[in-house]
Amino acid sequence: MTSSHPRLVDPSWLSEHLGDPSIRIVDATVHLRFDEDGAHTESGRETYQAAHVPGATFADQLLDLTEHDGEAPFAAARSERFAEVMGGLGIGNEHTVVVYDHVNGIWATRLWWQLGLEAHDDVVVLDGGLRAWQGAGHPVATGGAVYPATTFTPHRRAERVVSTADVEAATHDPSVLLINSLARGSFAEARIPGSVNVPFDELVDEQGRLRGADELRPLFESVGALDPTVAPVTYCGGGIAATAVAFALQGLGRGDVAIYDGSMTAWTSDASRPLERG
């Protein structure tokens, strides 16, 4: 795996395991862009069909794994729906799942988190995603790939996701550490009171690969995220980048991180909720 992170694999490892029947490779790409009207998302299915790791199937997180009547646009799908989609993709509880995306890794960690939310921990992330795969000289496939349908049995870990009410209580609870995962400029503009900042874009290098533990540890230590007496809760704009911070923290021994799935979208939906700025 050639990484200090227990849930990270490199292109060479994946290339050597392409024919392993116990592995399911999943492209988790969603395209996210911002303009004067806000955030816009688009399914990554077309880019998956144009180029993907050979044997990879596609998980449409935007359309199939999001609860569209939740408190925020990207609320995690209910357990029953998640299990239905995973089983349809040929992913069972017995499989090792390799996830990647085409963009910046946060959609891969989002699926990693959702699988872990349902107690499926045998999940690894391809470091650097499709760009790293192609950069290493490995071939890509076009069109689509499917595995035979199977059964996925979910076991929701309720402690891994928190609601707005939980976060409201956490703002008065020093035993909970709220970690804003957005860029430093966004953090300065507005944040949930009492939050600290670990920007997701500082977790990776210029090639989109996760930085080593020797670089990540000081970043998290500086905000108290490795203090065993506090419970880390990560959030961002819509619950996506927050999973990248949770993923990095797991590699440093914090497997107890919860995600505020509604994140700033849900928090700011009520103008009476306070914000810190500056």
Side-chain angles (χ1 to χ4, degrees):
M1 293 188 181
T2 70
S3 172
S4 60
H5 195 293
R7 298 286 90 194
L8 203 63
V9 299
D10 63 14
S12 295
W13 182 93
L14 182 54
S15 179
E16 293 169 2
H17 290 80
L18 281 185
D20 188 336
S22 69
I23 284 179
R24 296 290 183 260
I25 308 168
V26 185
D27 187 316
T29 302
V30 176
H31 297 289
L32 175 65
R33 61 181 177 84
F34 297 89
D35 59 24
E36 62 275 8
D37 297 321
H40 306 275
T41 53
E42 180 182 354
S43 169
R45 188 175 297 277
E46 286 191 10
T47 47
Y48 158 77
Q49 291 174 337
H52 58 261
V53 173
T57 190
F58 179 72
D60 199 326
Q61 297 191 86
L62 183 61
L63 300 180
D64 296 333
L65 297 179
T66 296
E67 192 63 50
H68 296 286
D69 61 355
E71 70 169 357
F74 300 114
R78 294 184 177 90
S79 293
E80 297 77 12
R81 174 59 178 165
F82 186 82
E84 177 186 2
V85 173
M86 290 299 103
L89 293 175
I91 298 170
N93 302 81
E94 71 276 17
H95 292 121
T96 298
V97 183
V98 181
V99 294
Y100 74 90
D101 62 37
H102 289 220
V103 193
N104 54 14
I106 62 175
W107 295 99
T109 57
R110 174 69 180 187
L111 186 53
W112 161 82
W113 172 72
Q114 282 199 263
L115 283 157
L117 182 63
E118 300 299 347
H120 189 83
D121 294 324
D122 194 3
V123 187
V124 294
V125 174
L126 175 60
D127 197 14
L130 187 70
R131 178 170 58 166
W133 176 262
Q134 292 179 292
H138 298 299
V140 295
T142 58
V146 295
Y147 298 107
T150 188
T151 299
F152 181 94
T153 303
H155 299 283
R156 178 62 63 103
R157 289 164 164 159
E159 72 278 5
R160 294 203 175 188
V161 61
V162 299
S163 67
T164 298
D166 295 326
V167 173
E168 287 179 325
T171 61
H172 305 288
D173 185 351
S175 71
V176 179
L177 182 67
L178 297 173
I179 305 174
N180 182 301
S181 307
L182 296 174
R184 296 190 184 277
S186 297
F187 175 78
E189 287 176 5
R191 60 189 178 272
I192 299 170
S195 300
V196 298
N197 188 208
V198 178
F200 78 92
D201 57 354
E202 296 183 15
L203 303 177
V204 297
D205 63 18
E206 295 78 8
Q207 302 303 314
R209 295 183 176 91
L210 189 69
R211 297 187 185 278
D214 57 336
E215 293 181 83
L216 294 176
R217 186 174 297 278
L219 184 62
F220 285 105
E221 284 180 336
S222 68
V223 298
L226 301 185
D227 182 348
T229 67
V230 300
V233 173
T234 63
Y235 74 94
C236 52
I240 309 302
T243 65
V245 173
F247 182 80
L249 269 170
Q250 188 192 75
L252 297 174
R254 295 302 306 246
D256 57 341
V257 183
I259 302 293
Y260 175 24
D261 207 19
S263 285
M264 287 293 285
T265 302
W267 184 263
T268 58
S269 66
D270 184 343
S272 70
R273 294 192 187 104
L275 292 169
E276 285 183 348
R277 305 179 191 275

PDB file of all heavy atoms in Angstrom, residues 191-205:
ATOM      1  N   ARG A 191     -18.545  30.852  10.391  1.00  0.00           N
ATOM      2  CA  ARG A 191     -18.364  29.508  10.946  1.00  0.00           C
ATOM      3  C   ARG A 191     -19.266  29.335  12.148  1.00  0.00           C
ATOM      4  O   ARG A 191     -19.767  30.309  12.730  1.00  0.00           O
ATOM      5  CB  ARG A 191     -16.909  29.284  11.346  1.00  0.00           C
ATOM      6  CG  ARG A 191     -16.415  30.273  12.405  1.00  0.00           C
ATOM      7  CD  ARG A 191     -14.921  30.151  12.608  1.00  0.00           C
ATOM      8  NE  ARG A 191     -14.421  31.127  13.579  1.00  0.00           N
ATOM      9  CZ  ARG A 191     -14.033  32.355  13.263  1.00  0.00           C
ATOM     10  NH1 ARG A 191     -14.118  32.776  12.005  1.00  0.00           N
ATOM     11  NH2 ARG A 191     -13.582  33.180  14.197  1.00  0.00           N
ATOM     12  N   ILE A 192     -19.475  28.097  12.531  1.00  0.00           N
ATOM     13  CA  ILE A 192     -20.238  27.785  13.735  1.00  0.00           C
ATOM     14  C   ILE A 192     -19.408  28.204  14.952  1.00  0.00           C
ATOM     15  O   ILE A 192     -18.197  27.948  14.993  1.00  0.00           O
ATOM     16  CB  ILE A 192     -20.575  26.286  13.783  1.00  0.00           C
ATOM     17  CG1 ILE A 192     -21.432  25.905  12.570  1.00  0.00           C
ATOM     18  CG2 ILE A 192     -21.295  25.933  15.083  1.00  0.00           C
ATOM     19  CD1 ILE A 192     -21.627  24.412  12.401  1.00  0.00           C
ATOM     20  N   PRO A 193     -19.996  28.860  15.919  1.00  0.00           N
ATOM     21  CA  PRO A 193     -19.236  29.343  17.080  1.00  0.00           C
ATOM     22  C   PRO A 193     -18.421  28.238  17.754  1.00  0.00           C
ATOM     23  O   PRO A 193     -18.898  27.118  17.946  1.00  0.00           O
ATOM     24  CB  PRO A 193     -20.323  29.870  18.020  1.00  0.00           C
ATOM     25  CG  PRO A 193     -21.414  30.305  17.088  1.00  0.00           C
ATOM     26  CD  PRO A 193     -21.409  29.296  15.979  1.00  0.00           C
ATOM     27  N   GLY A 194     -17.202  28.590  18.087  1.00  0.00           N
ATOM     28  CA  GLY A 194     -16.311  27.671  18.779  1.00  0.00           C
ATOM     29  C   GLY A 194     -15.519  26.742  17.874  1.00  0.00           C
ATOM     30  O   GLY A 194     -14.723  25.933  18.365  1.00  0.00           O
ATOM     31  N   SER A 195     -15.702  26.854  16.570  1.00  0.00           N
ATOM     32  CA  SER A 195     -15.034  25.947  15.636  1.00  0.00           C
ATOM     33  C   SER A 195     -13.548  26.263  15.487  1.00  0.00           C
ATOM     34  O   SER A 195     -13.122  27.404  15.633  1.00  0.00           O
ATOM     35  CB  SER A 195     -15.673  26.041  14.249  1.00  0.00           C
ATOM     36  OG  SER A 195     -17.036  25.708  14.277  1.00  0.00           O
ATOM     37  N   VAL A 196     -12.800  25.211  15.139  1.00  0.00           N
ATOM     38  CA  VAL A 196     -11.420  25.367  14.694  1.00  0.00           C
ATOM     39  C   VAL A 196     -11.384  25.020  13.208  1.00  0.00           C
ATOM     40  O   VAL A 196     -12.372  24.543  12.652  1.00  0.00           O
ATOM     41  CB  VAL A 196     -10.459  24.468  15.498  1.00  0.00           C
ATOM     42  CG1 VAL A 196     -10.482  24.855  16.968  1.00  0.00           C
ATOM     43  CG2 VAL A 196     -10.819  22.990  15.327  1.00  0.00           C
ATOM     44  N   ASN A 197     -10.257  25.256  12.564  1.00  0.00           N
ATOM     45  CA  ASN A 197     -10.185  25.104  11.113  1.00  0.00           C
ATOM     46  C   ASN A 197      -9.050  24.161  10.695  1.00  0.00           C
ATOM     47  O   ASN A 197      -7.897  24.380  11.066  1.00  0.00           O
ATOM     48  CB  ASN A 197      -9.979  26.480  10.476  1.00  0.00           C
ATOM     49  CG  ASN A 197     -10.073  26.500   8.967  1.00  0.00           C
ATOM     50  OD1 ASN A 197      -9.469  27.330   8.316  1.00  0.00           O
ATOM     51  ND2 ASN A 197     -10.853  25.612   8.387  1.00  0.00           N
ATOM     52  N   VAL A 198      -9.404  23.117   9.952  1.00  0.00           N
ATOM     53  CA  VAL A 198      -8.425  22.271   9.274  1.00  0.00           C
ATOM     54  C   VAL A 198      -8.891  22.170   7.827  1.00  0.00           C
ATOM     55  O   VAL A 198      -9.763  21.365   7.498  1.00  0.00           O
ATOM     56  CB  VAL A 198      -8.313  20.866   9.897  1.00  0.00           C
ATOM     57  CG1 VAL A 198      -7.303  20.025   9.106  1.00  0.00           C
ATOM     58  CG2 VAL A 198      -7.900  20.949  11.358  1.00  0.00           C
ATOM     59  N   PRO A 199      -8.363  22.997   6.926  1.00  0.00           N
ATOM     60  CA  PRO A 199      -8.850  23.027   5.546  1.00  0.00           C
ATOM     61  C   PRO A 199      -8.546  21.728   4.792  1.00  0.00           C
ATOM     62  O   PRO A 199      -7.415  21.243   4.813  1.00  0.00           O
ATOM     63  CB  PRO A 199      -8.084  24.202   4.929  1.00  0.00           C
ATOM     64  CG  PRO A 199      -7.609  25.014   6.097  1.00  0.00           C
ATOM     65  CD  PRO A 199      -7.355  24.027   7.181  1.00  0.00           C
ATOM     66  N   PHE A 200      -9.549  21.188   4.139  1.00  0.00           N
ATOM     67  CA  PHE A 200      -9.356  19.926   3.420  1.00  0.00           C
ATOM     68  C   PHE A 200      -8.313  20.062   2.324  1.00  0.00           C
ATOM     69  O   PHE A 200      -7.596  19.100   2.016  1.00  0.00           O
ATOM     70  CB  PHE A 200     -10.688  19.433   2.838  1.00  0.00           C
ATOM     71  CG  PHE A 200     -11.126  20.124   1.582  1.00  0.00           C
ATOM     72  CD1 PHE A 200     -10.793  19.612   0.340  1.00  0.00           C
ATOM     73  CD2 PHE A 200     -11.856  21.310   1.638  1.00  0.00           C
ATOM     74  CE1 PHE A 200     -11.187  20.253  -0.827  1.00  0.00           C
ATOM     75  CE2 PHE A 200     -12.255  21.950   0.473  1.00  0.00           C
ATOM     76  CZ  PHE A 200     -11.917  21.421  -0.765  1.00  0.00           C
ATOM     77  N   ASP A 201      -8.191  21.263   1.732  1.00  0.00           N
ATOM     78  CA  ASP A 201      -7.257  21.413   0.618  1.00  0.00           C
ATOM     79  C   ASP A 201      -5.802  21.460   1.074  1.00  0.00           C
ATOM     80  O   ASP A 201      -4.891  21.387   0.240  1.00  0.00           O
ATOM     81  CB  ASP A 201      -7.595  22.646  -0.221  1.00  0.00           C
ATOM     82  CG  ASP A 201      -7.609  23.947   0.573  1.00  0.00           C
ATOM     83  OD1 ASP A 201      -7.466  23.895   1.817  1.00  0.00           O
ATOM     84  OD2 ASP A 201      -7.764  25.010  -0.041  1.00  0.00           O
ATOM     85  N   GLU A 202      -5.569  21.543   2.373  1.00  0.00           N
ATOM     86  CA  GLU A 202      -4.210  21.507   2.892  1.00  0.00           C
ATOM     87  C   GLU A 202      -3.772  20.097   3.288  1.00  0.00           C
ATOM     88  O   GLU A 202      -2.625  19.888   3.697  1.00  0.00           O
ATOM     89  CB  GLU A 202      -4.071  22.456   4.080  1.00  0.00           C
ATOM     90  CG  GLU A 202      -4.276  23.920   3.708  1.00  0.00           C
ATOM     91  CD  GLU A 202      -4.083  24.879   4.859  1.00  0.00           C
ATOM     92  OE1 GLU A 202      -3.517  24.466   5.889  1.00  0.00           O
ATOM     93  OE2 GLU A 202      -4.496  26.050   4.735  1.00  0.00           O
ATOM     94  N   LEU A 203      -4.678  19.142   3.137  1.00  0.00           N
ATOM     95  CA  LEU A 203      -4.362  17.763   3.495  1.00  0.00           C
ATOM     96  C   LEU A 203      -3.620  17.037   2.388  1.00  0.00           C
ATOM     97  O   LEU A 203      -3.020  15.986   2.626  1.00  0.00           O
ATOM     98  CB  LEU A 203      -5.652  16.992   3.812  1.00  0.00           C
ATOM     99  CG  LEU A 203      -6.553  17.561   4.905  1.00  0.00           C
ATOM    100  CD1 LEU A 203      -7.806  16.707   5.034  1.00  0.00           C
ATOM    101  CD2 LEU A 203      -5.809  17.633   6.231  1.00  0.00           C
ATOM    102  N   VAL A 204      -3.692  17.578   1.174  1.00  0.00           N
ATOM    103  CA  VAL A 204      -3.107  16.905   0.018  1.00  0.00           C
ATOM    104  C   VAL A 204      -2.012  17.757  -0.616  1.00  0.00           C
ATOM    105  O   VAL A 204      -1.964  18.979  -0.417  1.00  0.00           O
ATOM    106  CB  VAL A 204      -4.188  16.581  -1.038  1.00  0.00           C
ATOM    107  CG1 VAL A 204      -5.213  15.608  -0.462  1.00  0.00           C
ATOM    108  CG2 VAL A 204      -4.882  17.851  -1.528  1.00  0.00           C
ATOM    109  N   ASP A 205      -1.156  17.104  -1.408  1.00  0.00           N
ATOM    110  CA  ASP A 205      -0.103  17.836  -2.105  1.00  0.00           C
ATOM    111  C   ASP A 205      -0.597  18.322  -3.459  1.00  0.00           C
ATOM    112  O   ASP A 205      -1.789  18.206  -3.775  1.00  0.00           O
ATOM    113  CB  ASP A 205       1.154  16.972  -2.244  1.00  0.00           C
ATOM    114  CG  ASP A 205       0.932  15.709  -3.088  1.00  0.00           C
ATOM    115  OD1 ASP A 205      -0.058  15.637  -3.845  1.00  0.00           O
ATOM    116  OD2 ASP A 205       1.775  14.786  -2.992  1.00  0.00           O
TER     117      ASP A 205
END
